[in-house]
Amino acid sequence: MSRIEIKQGSALFLDRDGVLNSRIVDGYVTKPADFVLLPGVLEALALLGQRFERIFVVTNQQGIGKGLMSEDDLKAIHDGFVRQVAAAGGHIDRIYHCPKLKSEHSFMRKPSVGMAVRARHDFPDIKLSESVMVGDMASDMLFGRRAGMTTVLVGSEAAEARRVPHLVDYAYPSLLDFAQSL
Ligand SMILES: [Mg+2]
């Protein structure tokens, strides 16, 4: 397996739950105390921050659409996370989230590519075709593929995505393993 080439305009897109923090199965992270980073994530982001000029998080958060948390609740979680990453030497340039319910079939909700289109609009210097999407689910891989990115599957709960090997370019046990491979 050849290494991923990082070129001018290569941005890194990261799924959140199951990549950065522990996924709550059949539940939602609704407050900072529920947001538990996975082992090695801060170290990984410090390494990745040296390689990628732009790093984005793209996350479906239909807990907002369900009324389980507010936009402000989510902002509190994300502000704390961004500060932690910066203190550890990394950078998160923007966090995009989709609050819509799955049943609304929003263009902004993965696996639709709305959040990638938004990032490209906000940061015209990035090239999606040179960018990388890291996620733990098939929907993340499909999002990355549809946006023309290289896809990276991480995590041990990736059985769903293993059913769609044609969408997965690279696979690693964790974000840190991916970061150390570059
Ligand atoms: Mg996930």
Side-chain angles (χ1 to χ4, degrees):
M1 202 159 57
S2 62
R3 285 167 62 169
I4 292 175
E5 240 187 292
I6 301 170
K7 299 179 183 165
Q8 185 103 30
S10 295
L12 179 64
F13 288 77
L14 302 170
D15 170 48
R16 198 194 79 177
D17 302 316
V19 173
L20 302 173
N21 60 288
S22 297
R23 194 162 67 87
I24 300 179
V25 177
D26 298 328
Y28 297 92
V29 174
T30 60
K31 54 185 185 295
D34 296 337
F35 188 81
V36 179
L37 288 178
L38 289 167
V41 160
L42 291 176
E43 186 187 339
L45 288 170
L47 286 170
L48 293 166
Q50 293 169 9
R51 308 299 309 277
F52 291 92
E53 199 172 332
R54 302 289 188 195
I55 299 181
F56 308 112
V57 176
V58 285
T59 179
N60 290 344
Q61 292 298 329
Q62 68 168 345
I64 293 175
K66 290 182 175 180
L68 299 173
M69 64 177 149
S70 67
E71 291 282 349
D72 284 346
D73 292 333
L74 187 68
K75 187 173 186 312
I77 293 164
H78 288 172
D79 285 353
F81 169 61
V82 168
R83 276 196 300 272
Q84 258 188 299
V85 172
H91 59 92
I92 300 291
D93 295 278
R94 186 85 45 104
I95 299 180
Y96 296 95
H97 73 276
C98 179
K100 304 282 189 185
L101 297 172
K102 187 177 181 182
S103 59
E104 293 178 84
H105 300 291
S106 170
F107 178 62
M108 295 303 292
R109 184 179 161 85
K110 292 178 291 183
S112 288
V113 296
M115 290 190 279
V117 172
R118 180 69 62 80
R120 176 74 180 76
H121 175 265
D122 294 343
F123 297 86
D125 54 329
I126 67 169
K127 291 193 185 87
L128 293 178
S129 61
E130 304 291 353
S131 295
V132 179
M133 172 65 198
V134 181
D136 70 329
M137 303 293 272
S139 60
D140 299 311
M141 300 298 97
L142 186 53
F143 166 86
R145 184 61 93 235
R146 283 173 168 171
M149 298 189 238
T150 297
T151 60
V152 177
L153 176 68
V154 299
S156 54
E157 296 179 76
E160 180 188 336
R162 274 196 293 272
R163 290 190 293 107
V164 289
H166 56 290
L167 298 178
V168 179
D169 293 321
Y170 297 85
Y172 295 96
S174 72
L175 188 66
L176 184 57
D177 290 298
F178 165 60
Q180 289 172 337
S181 78
L182 293 172

